[in-house]
Amino acid sequence: MSAFFLLCMMIVLAGCGTKAPETGGNAANGTDSKGEASASAPAAKADEVRKIKHIMGETEIKGTPKRVVVLTNEGTEAVLALGIKPVGAIQSWEGEPWHDHIKAEMDGVAVLGYEDQPNLEAIAQLNPDLILGNKTRHEKIYEQLSKIAPTVFSEDLTGRWKINFNFYADVLNKKAEGEKVMKEFDQRVADAKAKLGPKLASKVSIVKFSFKGTQIYKKDTFSGVLLEQLGFARPASQDKPEFAEMISQEKMDLMDGDILFYWVSESKGKNDVSNKAKEWFDSPVFKNLNVAKNNKVFKVNETIWNTAGGIKAANLLLDDILKRFEVK
């Protein structure tokens, strides 16, 4: 290994351990304040240099990247759906190390820490030709990442994952493939909407229990975006273009609806949050809600309904919604 490379590595690793803030955030555009994905030129030639504008500035990318590193859960799903196996990716929020629905495609992919604290040394050792990150998670280490390889960031995380997907497709020189994947997904949603018919009038309530407390999830969330695309009604408390709201037991009525889907977010082997959820459901206040009286309270998979956040999870979420509403 040359002395020059060792010097570069020392510069890169100087800031290792920086942890980006965890936020609810919105999913990324990486382009402009309106959330519009930038238009891209026809597929680039192998030696053509493209200038990609993104939330952190402008980055030059040569041809079609081959050794891609991905630093978000939803980004990993996007890359896979575009036919690219990353050389490295951050570990899935659930799974050892990958979510069940992607692990078959991730065999041999290097694990690079977690989304909120990627391992810079491990990234550098992979010699990537592109790093895909996110401003919400990785803003503090952008300069360090850029010294390793061309680095492009989407802006934020949660609901607007489709804008992120289109942006990644552009960056990866896979715009045509991305349009095909999204067209197929939107057609599935349209078909599901037709099958659901009058059931779309049901007011769908979404609730998360975690060690931080209890939250109602609104429209700018992963599940909220699909519910809106399908045309489902939402309770007034959740029919807002926002992410989520922490509620107390005194405001339990904000959970009410025609049907309630919830998940419990807690560490493996722990049950404190599960016990808290049971305490809420056993309370006289909750039992007096319409959704409880009608026995329409269902626990769902947190990975699919919330944390995976990408195109593959979106398809599985659509399947689960149809199943819950007994539509084939």
Side-chain angles (χ1 to χ4, degrees):
M1 181 181 292
S2 71
F4 175 77
F5 182 75
L6 285 171
L7 178 60
C8 291
M9 286 291 293
M10 290 174 65
I11 295 173
V12 166
L13 300 178
C16 283
T18 302
K19 183 173 181 178
E22 295 185 18
T23 71
N26 298 325
N29 58 31
T31 51
D32 58 38
S33 61
K34 296 180 181 179
E36 299 292 336
S38 59
S40 65
K45 297 178 182 179
D47 58 351
E48 182 180 346
V49 175
R50 295 176 296 135
K51 291 184 178 181
I52 301 295
K53 292 182 179 180
H54 57 106
I55 189 63
M56 302 301 293
E58 188 173 82
T59 299
E60 291 188 349
I61 298 176
K62 185 176 181 180
T64 300
K66 303 295 184 185
R67 298 184 59 81
V68 180
V69 160
V70 194
L71 302 183
T72 62
N73 281 258
E74 48 86 39
T76 299
E77 295 200 7
V79 169
L80 291 173
L82 291 166
I84 297 173
K85 186 174 186 176
V87 293
I90 47 85
Q91 181 168 338
S92 299
W93 288 123
E94 295 85 30
E96 299 176 355
W98 314 117
H99 290 141
D100 287 344
H101 65 281
I102 64 169
K103 64 181 181 182
E105 299 176 81
M106 295 291 283
D107 184 45
V109 176
V111 181
L112 303 174
Y114 281 98
E115 188 172 291
D116 54 0
Q117 196 167 18
N119 185 324
L120 295 178
E121 182 176 7
I123 294 170
Q125 290 174 350
L126 290 174
N127 192 28
D129 54 17
L130 176 67
I131 300 171
L132 292 176
N134 179 273
K135 182 182 178 183
T136 298
R137 295 292 193 219
H138 313 121
E139 182 175 13
K140 293 181 179 179
I141 58 172
Y142 175 74
E143 294 300 328
Q144 295 165 270
L145 291 169
S146 296
K147 291 173 182 176
I148 299 173
T151 300
V152 174
F153 277 8
S154 51
E155 184 179 356
D156 230 328
L157 290 166
T158 65
R160 287 166 284 177
W161 66 270
K162 295 175 78 172
I163 298 171
N164 264 13
F165 179 87
N166 292 332
F167 176 61
Y168 296 145
D170 194 15
V171 173
L172 292 163
N173 202 25
K174 296 279 188 179
K175 186 176 181 182
E177 292 90 333
E179 289 174 347
K180 181 176 183 293
V181 170
M182 195 58 65
K183 183 178 180 180
E184 290 172 352
F185 174 76
D186 287 340
Q187 186 59 56
R188 288 199 69 215
V189 174
D191 293 342
K193 186 173 183 178
K195 292 177 181 178
L196 285 160
K199 294 183 179 182
L200 294 171
S202 302
K203 293 181 180 179
V204 180
S205 178
I206 306 292
V207 176
K208 172 185 177 180
F209 293 93
S210 73
F211 72 95
K212 293 180 180 179
T214 304
Q215 290 173 288
I216 52 172
Y217 268 42
K218 304 182 182 182
K219 295 169 73 174
D220 191 20
T221 56
F222 181 62
S223 53
V225 165
L226 182 52
L227 291 173
E228 184 173 23
Q229 187 177 357
L230 284 165
F232 272 105
R234 300 294 303 276
S237 62
Q238 300 170 35
D239 192 22
K240 300 176 181 179
E242 300 163 4
F243 178 64
E245 177 184 348
M246 199 73 71
I247 62 171
S248 63
Q249 282 188 287
E250 289 74 22
K251 291 187 176 182
M252 204 179 291
D253 61 304
L254 298 180
M255 297 167 57
D256 205 1
D258 295 317
I259 187 167
L260 187 153
F261 298 116
Y262 76 96
W263 59 85
V264 174
S265 183
E266 63 186 342
S267 301
K268 189 175 182 179
K270 302 289 185 179
N271 57 17
D272 292 351
V273 180
S274 295
N275 290 338
K276 187 67 175 179
K278 185 177 184 302
E279 178 185 316
W280 278 50
F281 291 147
D282 287 342
S283 72
V285 177
F286 182 80
K287 289 182 177 180
N288 196 45
L289 299 181
N290 290 328
V291 73
K293 291 178 180 178
N294 295 327
N295 197 28
K296 291 291 185 179
V297 180
F298 302 99
K299 186 176 182 179
V300 295
N301 185 311
E302 179 184 15
T303 298
I304 303 305
W305 282 71
N306 185 46
T307 52
I311 179 66
K312 291 180 176 289
N315 274 292
L316 293 173
L317 175 55
L318 181 59
D319 291 340
D320 199 27
I321 290 172
L322 291 174
K323 181 180 177 181
R324 302 283 178 177
F325 282 89
E326 301 179 342
V327 173
K328 294 182 179 180

